[in-house]
Amino acid sequence: MMNCRQAEQRLLLKDSGELPFQDRLRLEQHLAACRHCCVYRDDVERVTSLARQGLPAGEPGGRALAAIREAARFGGSPKAVTGWEWCRDLTVAMVRPALAVAAVVMLCLGGWYWLAGSGPAPTGLVAASKQPAIEVASQSGEGFDDLTRMLVEDVVIIEGISELSARSDISPLDRDLLLLEGLAI
Amino acid sequence: MEDSDSDLLVQYRNGSVQALEQLVERYRRPLFGFILNMSHAREEADDIFQEVWFRAIKSLDRYRDERFLSWLFRIARNLVIDRYRSRKPLVSLESENPEGVALEDVIPDQGRSAAALAADHDVARQVATAVATLPEEQKEVFLMRLEGELSFKEIAKIQHVSINTALARMHYALAKLRDMLK
């Protein structure tokens, strides 16, 4: 015969759907004869119902749901990107190839200077390249047309930008601004 | 017919984000209800709720034959424990309810009948406040049953205890809450 302690435990299991059929029958028999356990059963139902009414209920906020949706797309790593970060990333992505092209141009020019310098009697631009770049840029001598002078000026500026952006002590923002300047050139 | 949890998980693994959104929608209320009542702060509940899903999404490969909701509750419980481990219990009998009345004072007189109290809407709030004062393990069992309708077998597995221990915790929790009706 089931005692009251066992009956109370089985009432909980019955409520959770975990009580086997035979035990359910025995529980019903016990309840039919035990007023104490009937009161317990009614109280448990009442307390559960009251708790359901009284406990704070709510919905997760829209921001949390949006973050989960985002995470679902990226496999659990939500990526919150601000407008500024998006613009910066885009700009850097555009500037980097431009700088690479500028570097190749500088290498070609350097090679050209070197090859020309090793030949006979330097004249014109080759002769100018033997002088400091700033002096060359400001020079308006013979055989040194405007287009070439502008190109040399740009190379000088890009060289300066490259040196500055390679320094470890400048901030990412300053580096981005330098890259933008490079792109403008 | 509604897709089962496993179907939706397979769909998500095959690239359907909507499948996961359906799962979030399906378990939003029970999971958030549990977290909200374990954390007592709306903003923290939001944080924990989203963290549960982040972790679930990241560790889907480790999810094995277990009811999905039960697995989510396990993650939620661990997160709540991690967050509040270093803190003292948030509510005690000496603490005040939102109306500024000490909880001790709202425990009803023995003279009032259970039926009269049940009719009173305030009792529901008093019971809810009493839930907050339960020891953490008992509160967990009570809320997992109430919010998620988890079985005692599932609760026992989540708490790493025997079914009898989980049942005993529920029994003690109910005994304390029943005192509110007397």
Side-chain angles (χ1 to χ4, degrees):
Chain A
M1 185 68 182
M2 187 182 288
N3 62 33
C4 289
R5 173 106 184 133
Q6 290 170 326
E8 286 172 1
Q9 201 180 57
R10 278 160 180 73
L11 270 169
L12 298 177
L13 286 170
K14 182 191 169 209
D15 189 44
S16 65
E18 294 170 277
L19 192 65
F21 181 70
Q22 286 298 325
D23 284 350
R24 237 164 44 205
L25 288 179
R26 284 192 206 107
L27 176 65
E28 293 304 328
Q29 282 174 353
H30 179 89
L31 288 173
C34 180
R35 185 175 150 65
H36 166 84
C37 286
C38 286
V39 170
Y40 178 83
R41 179 195 58 197
D42 294 345
D43 280 359
V44 167
E45 280 173 12
R46 193 171 299 127
V47 159
T48 309
S49 159
L50 286 168
R52 219 168 245 133
Q53 286 173 44
L55 281 172
E59 299 275 333
R63 211 160 48 171
L65 291 171
I68 294 165
R69 218 169 284 132
E70 182 87 357
R73 285 194 178 86
F74 293 98
S77 305
K79 186 167 165 49
V81 180
T82 62
W84 157 245
E85 286 170 337
W86 185 83
C87 287
R88 191 192 59 190
D89 291 349
L90 181 69
T91 310
V92 169
M94 286 164 60
V95 166
R96 276 189 181 145
L99 274 183
V101 170
V104 170
V105 168
M106 283 196 306
L107 276 174
C108 292
L109 281 173
W112 181 57
Y113 287 155
W114 182 78
L115 283 173
S118 63
T123 56
L125 180 62
V126 176
S129 70
K130 303 281 183 193
Q131 303 169 30
I134 295 296
E135 285 179 36
V136 171
S138 58
Q139 197 174 31
S140 56
E142 290 176 344
F144 200 75
D145 59 28
D146 288 340
L147 190 64
T148 311
R149 192 167 56 249
M150 281 168 65
L151 181 65
V152 173
E153 280 174 350
D154 289 347
V155 169
V156 170
I157 293 169
I158 288 171
E159 274 177 343
I161 288 170
S162 297
E163 277 174 25
L164 272 173
S165 63
R167 282 169 55 179
S168 58
D169 57 344
I170 69 165
S171 71
L173 180 63
D174 288 338
R175 185 173 289 120
D176 291 345
L177 288 171
L178 280 168
L179 291 174
L180 278 171
E181 198 172 335
L183 179 67
I185 289 164
Chain B
M1 194 178 138
E2 222 178 34
D3 286 326
S4 70
D5 291 354
S6 353
D7 289 342
L8 289 172
L9 287 171
V10 169
Q11 287 171 32
Y12 176 61
R13 283 190 182 112
N14 291 332
S16 164
V17 176
Q18 285 80 9
L20 193 99
E21 285 176 5
Q22 274 190 59
L23 281 169
V24 174
E25 177 62 28
R26 185 174 291 177
Y27 296 126
R28 192 168 46 120
R29 280 172 189 265
L31 186 63
F32 190 74
F34 173 74
I35 293 168
L36 183 63
N37 286 293
M38 288 299 293
S39 62
H40 307 287
R42 169 76 210 207
E43 280 184 10
E44 293 213 44
D46 267 354
D47 285 352
I48 297 172
F49 179 81
Q50 73 180 39
E51 190 59 33
V52 168
W53 282 100
F54 293 165
R55 290 205 183 181
I57 293 166
K58 271 185 187 167
S59 38
L60 268 184
D61 292 340
R62 277 181 276 152
Y63 168 67
R64 294 285 177 271
D65 46 334
E66 181 181 3
R67 197 153 69 106
F68 191 63
L69 180 62
S70 175
W71 188 57
L72 292 175
F73 266 73
R74 180 202 302 275
I75 299 172
R77 176 193 180 249
N78 290 339
L79 284 170
V80 169
I81 289 175
D82 287 348
R83 194 169 280 225
Y84 296 110
R85 185 173 281 156
S86 56
R87 300 190 196 173
K88 291 181 176 175
L90 292 165
V91 182
S92 73
L93 277 175
E94 289 74 35
S95 65
E96 292 184 345
N97 66 10
E99 286 79 36
V101 182
L103 192 59
E104 280 177 318
D105 300 332
V106 300
I107 293 176
D109 295 338
Q110 298 290 320
R112 298 176 69 187
S113 74
L117 284 167
D120 190 345
H121 179 70
D122 284 345
V123 183
R125 281 193 295 179
Q126 290 168 12
V127 169
T129 316
V131 170
T133 69
L134 292 172
E136 290 300 301
E137 293 85 1
Q138 292 176 23
K139 187 163 62 174
E140 276 174 21
V141 179
F142 184 78
L143 290 173
M144 283 182 198
R145 276 293 307 137
L146 193 82
E147 300 284 357
E149 296 187 348
L150 265 56
S151 69
F152 283 101
K153 191 179 172 187
E154 289 171 320
I155 295 169
K157 200 173 165 192
I158 291 172
Q159 290 194 325
H160 305 292
V161 294
S162 68
I163 290 191
N164 280 339
T165 303
L167 280 165
R169 285 175 177 171
M170 182 68 170
H171 182 76
Y172 288 130
L174 288 169
K176 281 174 193 156
L177 299 178
R178 277 178 76 206
D179 286 344
M180 305 289 289
L181 302 178
K182 289 175 185 164

